[in-house]
């Protein structure tokens, strides 16, 4: 069934949506994006996603195409027009169309595109079984805190995992795990402490990460934000990932080694439950 999507001011059928071949998003990956999950037809962690979009735009000296209130209106309109109960809304802002040049154009109008993706989020096989990951070298650029659309490196890493018959890759730099190809990475130590990499330019500042760490601390679970190695992960009691598209999802194997009991652990399961319950309550 054809979706209704949003492109530069218009709601149109997906097959009618058009963007210029001179759009810098297309030519130079000069664009940023956000993915917001939808539960019960409502937006999860929406203020966080809007704030991070603003930060990404700011870091790249890119203008916002419309104000935050309008972005919310467009999200709601797409949920309504596509009758979306559970899934995601993808939003992309690019610097717009201009003759190809490495310098930023003076007068380009930013492009704004949004579309919905229907997908089960609360009940998934990955969450029930846990996922298996391999470690790969982190070949991305140095500003991973900016959520740009240049996703070829993580896409290549994910394909390496798929070719190895696994679900995802954890990327490693200077011996330490940065994050998953499209998620933040965590381990749980034998004493129950959650360890996840501290925020810096090396990783994306996950919106789900922020919420999950807050819920963990509220549940009196100790959280330490620091880098960890693959070796440390192999000896951990549990591991998990977070992202808007997966919530909290257990990781049960890394590089062929079972983590803990080799099945989803109690901390990951509990945090997933809390996250989904709270998101259902707080979604707007
Ligand atoms: N890290 C990377 C590299 C990502 O691409 C994503 C999500 O797409 C995340 C982490 C998780 O971020 P969020 O929780 O905001 O979805």
């Amino acid at each position: 069934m054809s979706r209704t999507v949003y492109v530069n001011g218009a709601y149109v059928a997906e097959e009618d949506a058009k963007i210029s071949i001179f759009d810098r998003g297309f030519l130079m990956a000069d664009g940023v994006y956000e993915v917001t999950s939808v539960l019960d037809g409502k937006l999860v962690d929406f203020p966080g996603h809007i704030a991070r979009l603003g930060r990404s735009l700011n870091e790249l000296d890119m203008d916002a195409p419309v104000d935050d209130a309008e972005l919310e209106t467009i999200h709601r309109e797409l949920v309504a027009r596509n009758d979306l109960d559970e899934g995601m809304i993808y939003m992309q802002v690019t610097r717009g169309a201009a003759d190809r040049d490495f310098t930023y154009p003076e007068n380009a109008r930013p492009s704004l595109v949004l579309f919905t993706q229907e997908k089960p989020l609360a009940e998934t096989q990955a969450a029930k079984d846990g996922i298996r990951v391999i470690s790969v070298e982190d070949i991305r650029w140095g500003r991973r805190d900016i959520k740009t659309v240049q996703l070829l490196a993580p896409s290549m890493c994910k394909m390496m995992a798929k070719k190895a018959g696994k679900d995802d890759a954890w990327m490693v730099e200077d011996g330490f795990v940065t994050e998953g190809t499209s998620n933040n990475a965590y381990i749980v130590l034998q004493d129950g402490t959650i360890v996840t990499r501290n925020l810096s330019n090396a990783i994306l500042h996950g919106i789900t990460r922020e919420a999950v760490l807050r819920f963990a601390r509220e549940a009196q679970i100790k959280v330490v934000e620091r880098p960890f190695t693959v070796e440390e992960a192999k000896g951990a009691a549990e591991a998990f990932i977070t992202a808007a598209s997966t919530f909290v999802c257990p990781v049960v194997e890394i590089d062929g080694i079972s983590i803990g009991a080799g099945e989803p652990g109690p901390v990951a399961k509990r945090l997933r439950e809390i996250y989904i319950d709270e998101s259902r309550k707080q979604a707007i």
Side-chain angles (χ1 to χ4, degrees), residues 20-78:
S20 164
I21 64 156
F22 294 107
D23 191 279
R24 286 176 60 93
F26 176 62
L27 293 179
M28 308 186 98
D30 189 357
V32 297
Y33 74 107
E34 283 297 326
V35 176
T36 300
S37 57
V38 172
L39 277 179
D40 311 322
K42 292 193 285 187
L43 309 170
V44 175
D45 288 336
F46 190 68
H49 288 287
I50 289 298
R52 187 174 59 189
L53 178 75
R55 181 180 181 279
S56 294
L57 291 172
N58 193 48
E59 291 298 310
L60 295 174
D61 290 328
M62 207 182 285
D63 294 330
V66 298
D67 66 21
D68 292 354
E70 181 64 14
L71 289 177
E72 185 174 331
T73 302
I74 299 165
H75 275 75
R76 288 191 191 293
E77 192 63 31
L78 283 181

Side-chain angles (χ1 to χ4, degrees), residues 33-35 49 52 140 147 171 179-184 204-209 242-245:
Y33 74 107
E34 283 297 326
V35 176
H49 288 287
R52 187 174 59 189
R140 298 173 300 162
K147 197 166 168 65
M171 297 177 288
E179 55 191 329
T181 58
S182 57
N183 45 70
N184 290 115
L204 185 74
H205 302 187
I207 301 306
T208 319
R209 176 189 184 280
T242 66
S245 54

Side-chain angles (χ1 to χ4, degrees), residues 122-263:
E123 300 287 335
T124 66
Q125 206 56 45
K128 278 196 194 85
D129 299 344
I131 62 164
R132 296 174 301 160
V133 305
I134 58 167
S135 62
V136 301
E137 188 192 342
D138 197 333
I139 54 172
R140 298 173 300 162
W141 75 327
R143 289 302 307 276
R144 302 162 195 151
D145 56 310
I146 309 173
K147 197 166 168 65
T148 75
V149 298
Q150 45 161 352
L151 295 174
L152 195 52
S155 199
M156 286 170 75
C157 292
K158 181 125 188 169
M159 286 314 296
M160 287 162 72
K162 291 282 167 196
K163 280 181 192 143
K166 307 299 178 185
D167 303 298
D168 200 4
W170 277 12
M171 297 177 288
V172 178
E173 184 172 59
D174 299 332
F176 294 96
V177 174
T178 51
E179 55 191 329
T181 58
S182 57
N183 45 70
N184 290 115
Y186 307 72
I187 56 173
V188 182
L189 305 183
Q190 301 298 341
D191 71 357
T193 303
I194 294 174
V195 178
T196 192
R197 191 164 177 128
N198 49 295
L199 297 182
S200 70
N201 292 351
I203 63 168
L204 185 74
H205 302 187
I207 301 306
T208 319
R209 176 189 184 280
E210 189 182 329
V212 166
L213 292 188
R214 189 175 66 244
F215 296 142
R217 287 177 173 124
E218 282 169 9
Q220 313 297 327
I221 301 172
K222 193 173 164 208
V223 175
V224 177
E225 297 176 63
R226 63 154 171 87
F228 61 87
T229 64
V230 173
E231 282 316 304
E232 191 177 10
K234 286 177 183 166
E238 296 181 38
F240 62 92
I241 55 167
T242 66
S245 54
T246 58
F247 303 156
V248 177
C249 182
V251 173
V252 295
E253 181 195 294
I254 181 160
D255 290 340
I257 305 291
S258 287
I259 298 173
E263 55 187 44

